[in-house]
Amino acid sequence: MLPGMKDIIQTPDAPAAIGPYSQATVFGNLVVTSGQIPLTPDGTLVEGGITEQTEQVIANLKAVLAAAGTDLARVVKTTVFLADMNEFAAMNAVYEAHFPAPYPARSTVQVARLPRDVRVEIEVLAERH
């Protein structure tokens, strides 16, 4: 990659973008993912509660990060969007099971509504290997 250029990450192992955005971009050794929601790679919405939806979101993040040449251990910042902050503890239990210590910085916010009325969306910043 030339200095000042960005690479676009696209993988069939995560849901395709459903709008004018990329699954992730790479700038230098920084990987910036778009928010991932609980869709399977074929675009099917995962049924169930916050636990099942968070598992799928993290599976999508793992796939996008792998396509970019990195993984959850190299994540430096996450932003979690929740439809209901009362579901924080359940989301956090799944999150903690997948992100290794030392944990990345994180912001968690409750939002009025998420795409497809899902329970959770997560985006990350990671260092490329």
Side-chain angles (χ1 to χ4, degrees):
M1 180 168 55
L2 297 173
M5 302 290 292
K6 66 180 179 180
D7 284 336
I8 303 303
I9 302 302
Q10 197 103 0
T11 178
D13 297 329
I18 54 175
Y21 61 90
S22 302
Q23 292 171 327
T25 58
V26 177
F27 188 81
N29 69 342
L30 180 66
V31 179
V32 182
T33 72
S34 292
Q36 292 295 310
I37 63 173
L39 297 176
T40 61
D42 70 3
T44 303
L45 180 63
V46 169
E47 298 298 327
I50 190 71
T51 298
E52 295 82 5
Q53 289 198 358
T54 303
E55 287 284 356
Q56 184 62 52
V57 166
I58 292 174
N60 293 343
L61 288 168
K62 286 179 177 179
V64 172
L65 290 171
T70 192
D71 56 41
L72 292 179
R74 311 278 295 190
V75 171
V76 296
K77 170 74 167 77
T78 66
T79 305
V80 179
F81 304 95
L82 291 174
D84 183 351
M85 195 59 82
N86 291 318
E87 296 180 327
F88 177 85
M91 176 282 301
N92 196 54
V94 175
Y95 180 102
E96 185 175 17
H98 290 279
F99 282 90
Y103 302 110
R106 178 175 74 185
S107 300
T108 304
V109 294
Q110 179 175 311
V111 295
R113 192 170 181 199
L114 289 165
R116 308 267 310 257
D117 293 318
V118 300
R119 311 299 310 149
V120 61
E121 179 175 358
I122 302 174
E123 63 185 25
V124 306
L125 299 174
E127 180 184 28
R128 197 176 203 177
H129 290 287

